[in-house]
């Protein structure tokens, strides 16, 4: 194995090298990745300020009820006295107005501490995640703001400091595969981070069926795809209140989460699966039989009857019927093909190499969807190492790779705003399909100009710490081209050389 393999290990299968990482990996890059698979706990986030989703949901519901009570007898418009204005959220490609203490591009304008260098304050845990005890919050604006900031801080801090960056990439892949978008509603926004922590991270090296079940039962997914208010027309609740069936979760479960759009399912399969999933909901404050905010199965909303999905009939066994459908979909041959293609396209190349896809598909089937074995099959296949780096780093990955490479102190909230300015707001993909694998979405001229401007911001403190030629050899040894190295060496200043390094194809692609 060469130092070039070390670069592939840290970039194609990770989040970019930190100073000294390539040298520390040494002779066998595959052993470096294999060692990470023995530590599933390294994928978890443990932070006292990150509250369980059901607690946050209950607080949000109480705050909404309080708002409604406060508005009785008052004009419907406006906010309750003392409630802060809702924080604006950027959409893909949208420039944000400056936050307090920040410039228009998301860089912090707060005076730096003596230890900080350049335009960024030290990346300290100063927000809600900074050691504050768990506590109930009192209004929806505060809940949206504080919960979001705590989750973002924990995620960014973990990504920039973890020694198991391959596991973090796996988390990011599966979080995007089972995508939720925070823009859908306040309830999705305050649970999007918890969704990744509670449904994705614990299963990232486990079985696909277990992850799928955790995902489909999680409140964030039930809110995002509207299954929380899906009611069987012939159920007790449906007959009493004329409520209807919602097919969103069933459709995306088939099209995106499991068998894929080309598996041959029909509209009847979608409708029948939606019927089976009726009663899968998130209780509110007034449903005394259930704990508010936690997944629950409510028989009164469940559509009675036996239903057929993909040729298999499921007798009416309440919640057990839905759980069995998910288990069967997870083991379906079409799911193995769908996951294998998507996994290879994400990590290696799009379109993916057929030989690699075939190996991943076989591994998925033979191991009953063991995701740790799937990851191992990925990086032990020669094509995963031999193909040249062609995939452009998505915005969030580019920012995290820069933070890891240059140890530049940037607050997590700035990372979130910069990622949004580049077109990739965190936990806010454009649709249930998640972020696309095609590079074209990140290659617009305005996006490239924004990368260049951000590179200049990162380069200023980085250039003061190390010579860019030495940094390039440390981070990209064996991968950076002679032409790129020559351009860095001939730069007029260390600042310009660092900018060239950051914008080089070897740094921008994996």
């Amino acid at each position: 194995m060469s130092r070039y393999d070390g670069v592939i290990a840290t970039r194609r299968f990770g989040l970019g090298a930190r100073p000294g990482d390539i040298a520390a990996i040494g002779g066998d890059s595959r052993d470096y990745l294999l060692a990470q698979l023995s530590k599933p706990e390294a994928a978890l986030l443990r932070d006292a300020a990150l509250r369980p989703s059901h607690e946050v949901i209950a607080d949000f519901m109480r705050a909404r009820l309080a708002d409604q009570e406060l508005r009785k007898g008052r004009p419907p418009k406006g906010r309750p006295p003392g409630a802060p204005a809702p924080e604006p959220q950027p959409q893909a490609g949208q420039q944000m107005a400056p936050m307090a203490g920040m410039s228009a591009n998301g860089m912090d304008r707060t005076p730096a501490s003596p230890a900080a260098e350049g335009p960024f304050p030290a990346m300290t845990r100063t927000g809600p995640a900074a050691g504050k005890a768990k506590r109930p919050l009192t209004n929806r604006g505060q809940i949206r703001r504080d919960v979001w900031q705590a989750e973002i801080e924990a995620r960014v801090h973990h990504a920039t400091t973890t020694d198991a960056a391959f596991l973090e990439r796996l988390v990011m892949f599966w979080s995007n595969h089972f995508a939720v978008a925070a823009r859908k509603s306040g309830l999705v926004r305050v649970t999007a981070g918890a969704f990744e922590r509670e449904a994705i991270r614990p299963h990232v090296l486990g079985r696909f069926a277990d992850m799928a079940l955790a995902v489909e039962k999680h409140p964030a997914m039930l809110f995002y795809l509207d299954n929380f208010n899906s009611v069987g027309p012939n159920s007790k609740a449906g007959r009493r209140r004329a409520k209807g069936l919602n097919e969103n979760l069933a459709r995306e479960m088939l099209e995106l989460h499991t068998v894929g759009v080309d598996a041959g399912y029909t509209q009847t399969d979608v409708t029948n699966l939606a019927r089976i999933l009726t009663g899968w909901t998130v209780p509110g404050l007034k449903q005394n039989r259930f704990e508010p905010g936690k997944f629950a199965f409510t028989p009164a909303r469940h559509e009675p009857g036996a239903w057929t999905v993909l040729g298999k009939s499921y007798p009416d066994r309440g919640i057990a019927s839905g759980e069995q459908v998910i288990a069967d979909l997870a083991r379906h041959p079409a799911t193995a093909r769908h996951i294998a293609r998507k996994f290879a396209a994400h990590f290696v190349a799009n379109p993916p190499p057929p030989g690699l896809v075939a190996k991943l598909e076989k591994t998925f089937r033979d191991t009953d969807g063991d995701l740790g074995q799937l990851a191992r099959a990925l990086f032990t296949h020669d094509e995963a190492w031999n193909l040249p780096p062609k995939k452009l780093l998505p915005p969030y990955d580019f920012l995290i790779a820069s933070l890891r490479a240059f140890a530049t102190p940037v607050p997590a909230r700035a990372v979130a705003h910069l990622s949004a300015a580049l077109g990739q707001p965190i936990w806010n993909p454009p649709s249930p399909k998640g972020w696309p694998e095609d590079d074209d979405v990140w290659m617009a001229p305005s996006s490239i100009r924004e990368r260049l401007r951000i590179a200049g911001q990162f380069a200023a403190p980085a250039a003061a710490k190390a010579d860019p030629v030495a940094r390039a050899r440390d981070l990209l040894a064996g991968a950076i081209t002679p032409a790129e190295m020559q351009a860095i060496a001939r730069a007029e200043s260390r600042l310009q050389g660092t900018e060239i390094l950051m914008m080089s194809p070897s740094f921008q692609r994996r």
Side-chain angles (χ1 to χ4, degrees), residues 167-339:
L167 299 193
E168 190 65 10
R169 281 288 304 285
L170 293 171
V171 168
M172 291 159 59
F173 169 82
W174 289 114
S175 184
N176 190 57
H177 177 76
F178 293 108
V180 299
R183 72 173 63 83
K184 172 66 179 277
S185 69
L187 283 167
V188 180
R189 178 176 169 79
V190 298
T191 54
F195 169 73
E196 186 176 274
R197 283 190 295 111
E198 296 168 349
I200 302 295
R201 291 183 182 275
H203 304 287
V204 76
L205 296 180
R207 292 175 62 253
F208 178 76
D210 295 334
M211 181 186 287
L213 183 61
V215 161
E216 312 302 359
K217 282 185 172 181
H218 197 278
M221 185 63 74
L222 296 173
F223 288 137
Y224 179 50
L225 295 178
D226 303 303
N227 206 79
F228 76 102
N229 61 14
S230 181
V231 177
N234 298 305
S235 67
K236 292 180 181 179
R239 293 194 304 268
R240 186 172 64 248
R241 293 184 288 170
K243 291 283 187 176
L245 196 65
N246 189 293
E247 297 183 351
N248 289 350
L249 179 61
R251 179 174 293 104
E252 308 305 0
M253 192 184 294
L254 292 168
E255 178 181 338
L256 302 176
H257 299 172
T258 57
V259 295
V261 69
D262 56 354
Y265 63 85
T266 66
Q267 176 58 40
T268 299
D269 291 316
V270 174
T271 302
N272 286 348
L273 179 53
R275 288 167 172 151
I276 292 171
L277 295 174
T278 50
W280 289 42
T281 190
V282 184
L285 299 174
K286 298 179 180 180
Q287 293 172 269
N288 297 329
R289 294 176 52 205
F290 305 102
E291 184 172 356
K294 273 192 175 181
F295 168 84
F297 175 73
T298 54
R301 295 183 173 201
H302 181 65
E303 181 73 359
W307 307 104
T308 299
V309 178
L310 290 176
K312 181 174 179 179
S313 179
Y314 294 88
D316 188 357
R317 297 190 295 125
I319 188 175
S321 298
E323 292 172 339
Q324 187 60 56
V325 175
I326 292 173
D328 290 343
L329 290 174
R331 295 186 177 96
H332 197 284
T335 298
R337 291 194 298 272
H338 179 56
I339 296 299

Side-chain angles (χ1 to χ4, degrees), residues 14-19 21 45 123-125 152-165 168-169 172 201 396-412 415 458:
L15 290 164
R18 298 166 300 182
D21 274 356
L45 291 185
M123 185 182 283
T124 54
R125 310 298 298 282
I152 291 291
E153 285 193 355
R155 191 195 208 228
V156 170
H157 178 77
H158 182 76
T160 54
T161 60
T162 183
D163 294 325
E168 190 65 10
R169 281 288 304 285
M172 291 159 59
R201 291 183 182 275
Y396 178 77
D397 301 52
F398 164 61
L399 294 168
I400 296 300
S402 301
L403 291 172
R404 290 174 66 87
F406 302 106
T408 303
V410 181
V415 174
F458 276 76

Side-chain angles (χ1 to χ4, degrees), residues 2 67 123 126 147 190 192 239 280 285 312 318 390 412 421 441 446 476 481:
S2 67
D67 284 349
M123 185 182 283
T126 55
V147 170
V190 298
R239 293 194 304 268
W280 289 42
L285 299 174
K312 181 174 179 179
K390 291 184 177 180
V441 71
S446 59
L476 299 170
T481 67

Side-chain angles (χ1 to χ4, degrees), residues 466-475 485-486 488-490 497-498 501:
D467 175 70
V469 172
R471 183 84 66 158
R473 289 175 179 150
D474 181 19
L475 299 172
M485 187 63 82
Q486 185 179 72
I488 294 169
R490 290 181 175 178
T498 304
L501 168 59

